Amino acid sequence: MITRRLYRALDSRLGTTSVGRTALAKVFPDHWTFMFGELALYCFIALVLTGTYLTLFFEPSTSEKIYDGAYGPLAGSEVSSAYASTVSLSFDVRAGLLIRQAHHWAALLFVGAIVLHLLRVFFTGAFRRPREINWVIGMTMLALALLNGFTGYSMPDDLLSGTGLRIIYSVVLSIPVVGSWIALLAFGGEFPTDATTPRLYISHVFIVPAIFAALISLHLAIIIRQKHSQFPGPGRNERTVVGSRLWPAYTVRSLSLATGVLAVVFALGGLVQINPVWIYGPFNPAQATSPAQPDWYVAWGDGALRLFPRIEFHVFGHLVPAPFLPAVGLGTVTFMLLYAWPWLERWRTPDRAEHQVLERPRERPWRVAIGAWALTFFAVLLVAAADDIIARLTAMPVTGILRTLQILVCTLPFVVAAVAFGVARALKAGTASSLAELTAEDVRAGLSGADGPGPADEAPDQSIQLWRNPDGTWRWRWSGGGEQLTSNEAYLSRDEAVAAARIAFAGVPIDRADPPEGVILPGPRQEPGWGTRLAAGVVWVALAVWGRRRSKTDDRTEV
């Protein structure tokens, strides 16, 4: 009774009922790739929960102290407070190691989910008008995730994180004119300095998470305000959205994903070791870990530093050191192009219309080729960050591995881009719905630049529409001269449907289409398999034997 009165009082002042009903009735598409964004959201929630617990025990200070915790090999050693508190978290605090490792794994999954989400947006054209603002917000969140991930694993003041901070400090100093000022602001002085860890802590715990929370809220508000994008399909157009309502179907699905994410994060935190700082030891400016690799999402920068040639030059009398181009220049150009991509593509096409329906990647082969080039390029850089580990595992000289990777980073992206472009054109020109259904004829049509398989010039006024039914079967329909003929049966596979259509109407181009509404779809004829036939034969033999014995028994009874 009291709760109902409070709700009525609140509703009479704020109108929460109408707003709530509208929000709960919002429709979300059902495609599984739309869950990448929610995966990133739930990883962020896991980061906030575990990070809050860690802040209760972590000491962001480099003041020296004597370690007296449970880790025996370090007992009596003089280490920084940050390092000592991290080791204590791992060995002395109840569930401390679980929470610390779960936090680290959640950070890795968080960045990965953002990357997957942005890749889905990029290859399907979801960044087109009116969603350019959300693309910019997503790119900003990716940049902040890289920054916060690096500051997070740099705070424990162990030897590995100290090596990474030394590299970043040198990279910042390589920026002409303003590099020394940025280094002073970020590190608090010449590295190593006692002001570095507290500044990393403030950025990692307070500033960046607050910006993240604001950007996520803005991102979700824009999604709610605008129609949700969706893949093409029956009933889906620029004015309607086909999918599940927020309540209850989508809510149940989303909460299931949330529990799954938390389960995976804590399972990894409890079962898979990561960042064992007690093995690396405390940071010492005179030492460095070898091999030493950062987390995967910033490893491409480390790989670029290892692969790029030593190039130094002067600009208006200012020296530009060798680390600038691979570490600062490459990242800056990459993010500038990504930020500007919606407008660059609009300038090239030019397409200024609003789009609620997504494109299939095959519809833009050049976009697929550019994305494949970039992914391959950065993948080679990521592998290059582990060249010392590869050398140790293969017993090969690291110089030979570097030369090989330098050749690959200059050639492999173009090869992959060419293959991706050809495959996308083949899928666009043919009728295959996936790579597994791609035929040699589709590939030839893609290489020739044709719009579809078959000699279209022989039947310019005719066409065959091929579609896949919801139950997985296939049908086709011929159109020509103002008439239409639909296949009188459904087929179990695309190849069977294509073969039947080409027998009936040779030389007519075949295109993919959506299932037409109002068409009765007869079930396919399914021939029994050899197992079914064998079982039927056994049954018939058994019945024959039983019938013969029964007849003999009846004869004996009559005698």
Side-chain angles (χ1 to χ4, degrees):
M1 183 64 69
I2 296 177
T3 304
R4 185 176 301 176
R5 289 181 178 178
L6 290 175
Y7 175 78
R8 290 178 178 175
L10 184 66
D11 180 54
S12 64
R13 291 164 175 80
L14 302 178
T16 54
T17 299
S18 59
V19 175
R21 287 176 178 174
T22 302
L24 294 177
K26 184 174 179 60
V27 176
F28 289 84
D30 293 328
H31 200 273
W32 59 272
T33 57
F34 289 99
M35 307 302 287
F36 289 147
E38 294 189 33
L39 178 62
L41 173 63
Y42 295 134
C43 287
F44 178 75
I45 293 175
L47 285 169
V48 173
L49 295 176
T50 55
T52 302
Y53 185 85
L54 295 177
T55 57
L56 301 177
F57 304 97
F58 179 73
E59 298 181 29
S61 173
T62 55
S63 59
E64 299 294 328
K65 65 181 298 184
I66 303 298
Y67 177 77
D68 57 354
Y71 184 61
L74 198 64
S77 301
E78 187 174 354
V79 297
S80 66
S81 298
Y83 182 77
S85 62
T86 304
V87 177
S88 296
L89 257 170
S90 304
F91 290 94
D92 301 316
V93 176
R94 186 182 298 273
L97 182 60
L98 170 65
I99 300 298
R100 194 175 74 83
Q101 294 192 150
H103 187 78
H104 201 131
W105 280 113
L108 299 181
L109 296 176
F110 177 58
V111 182
I114 293 178
V115 172
L116 290 176
H117 183 61
L118 290 175
L119 287 177
R120 196 271 302 170
V121 172
F122 176 83
F123 284 112
T124 60
F127 52 80
R128 296 173 298 170
R129 185 176 181 180
R131 294 177 176 83
E132 304 96 330
I133 297 177
N134 257 350
W135 171 260
V136 172
I137 292 175
M139 292 309 307
T140 304
M141 287 195 287
L142 175 61
L144 290 175
L146 301 183
L147 172 64
N148 220 38
F150 177 79
T151 57
Y153 81 75
S154 298
M155 288 193 302
D157 198 36
D158 59 288
L159 189 57
L160 179 62
S161 65
T163 303
L165 282 173
R166 192 204 315 266
I167 295 173
I168 291 297
Y169 179 77
S170 302
V171 168
V172 173
L173 286 180
S174 70
I175 303 175
V177 183
V178 298
S180 58
W181 181 82
I182 296 177
L184 176 64
L185 183 66
F187 293 88
E190 184 177 357
F191 184 80
T193 176
D194 294 339
T196 301
T197 300
R199 297 190 182 203
L200 294 175
Y201 182 81
I202 293 173
S203 172
H204 183 79
V205 176
F206 297 105
I207 299 177
V208 176
I211 299 175
F212 253 121
L215 290 177
I216 291 174
S217 301
L218 180 60
H219 182 74
L220 295 177
I222 293 176
I223 290 178
I224 294 174
R225 180 64 180 86
Q226 297 175 341
K227 290 187 179 71
H228 205 297
S229 60
Q230 58 185 339
F231 285 97
R236 302 170 185 174
N237 53 51
E238 304 292 344
R239 298 179 302 275
T240 61
V241 178
V242 177
S244 304
R245 293 182 182 273
L246 178 60
W247 179 264
Y250 199 83
T251 300
V252 173
R253 185 188 311 160
S254 184
L255 291 178
S256 300
L257 178 63
T259 56
V261 169
L262 292 176
V264 170
V265 165
F266 281 98
L268 289 172
L271 301 175
V272 184
Q273 185 185 78
I274 190 170
N275 198 25
V277 296
W278 56 90
I279 296 178
Y280 306 143
F283 174 66
N284 187 337
Q287 299 176 351
T289 56
S290 179
Q293 284 73 38
D295 285 339
W296 71 268
Y297 48 85
V298 290
W300 59 269
D302 193 1
L305 285 170
R306 303 186 189 206
L307 292 187
F308 274 53
R310 179 180 176 86
I311 300 177
E312 294 184 349
F313 53 94
H314 289 79
V315 176
F316 300 110
H318 295 279
L319 174 66
V320 181
F324 178 80
L325 288 180
V328 181
L330 176 62
T332 302
V333 171
T334 300
F335 272 92
M336 288 180 62
L337 289 175
L338 289 173
Y339 271 114
W341 186 261
W343 294 273
L344 291 175
E345 184 166 316
R346 183 187 304 174
W347 166 75
R348 182 190 180 277
T349 35
D351 180 9
R352 291 175 171 79
E354 293 190 357
H355 296 278
Q356 311 298 339
V357 179
L358 302 174
E359 295 177 317
R360 293 184 298 177
R362 68 184 68 180
E363 297 176 19
R364 302 286 183 179
W366 57 268
R367 186 198 292 156
V368 173
I370 293 174
W373 185 96
L375 288 175
T376 307
F377 178 78
F378 283 99
V380 175
L381 294 182
L382 191 148
V383 173
D387 59 354
D388 46 359
I389 292 181
I390 298 174
R392 174 175 293 184
L393 294 177
T394 60
M396 297 174 59
V398 70
T399 54
I401 295 175
L402 281 176
R403 293 292 180 268
T404 303
L405 291 173
Q406 286 173 339
I407 295 173
L408 287 177
V409 80
C410 295
T411 57
L412 188 59
F414 293 98
V415 174
V416 174
V419 172
F421 182 80
V423 171
R425 286 193 61 174
L427 289 171
K428 181 181 180 181
T431 59
S433 61
S434 63
L435 288 176
E437 299 176 354
L438 201 62
T439 63
E441 188 173 351
D442 294 334
V443 175
R444 286 193 294 270
L447 294 177
S448 64
D451 292 332
D457 296 336
E458 298 180 7
D461 59 340
Q462 302 179 37
S463 65
I464 295 177
Q465 303 293 326
L466 180 72
W467 68 85
R468 189 174 186 176
N469 297 324
D471 61 355
T473 59
W474 292 82
R475 293 192 76 194
W476 55 267
R477 179 173 58 191
W478 170 86
S479 301
E483 298 181 357
Q484 291 184 346
L485 293 175
T486 303
S487 62
N488 57 6
E489 64 176 292
Y491 300 88
L492 293 177
S493 68
R494 168 184 167 274
D495 293 338
E496 292 180 3
V498 170
R502 287 177 178 168
I503 292 175
F505 300 95
V508 179
I510 301 177
D511 301 320
R512 282 294 302 273
D514 297 328
E517 297 181 2
V519 176
I520 300 175
L521 306 176
R525 294 181 302 178
Q526 298 187 9
E527 297 294 335
W530 64 270
T532 304
R533 294 177 180 177
L534 179 61
V538 172
V539 171
W540 279 111
V541 170
L543 289 175
V545 172
W546 178 80
R548 190 174 182 84
R549 290 183 177 179
R550 181 66 180 269
S551 62
K552 290 182 178 180
T553 303
D554 294 340
D555 294 342
R556 292 173 182 174
T557 303
E558 292 176 1
V559 172

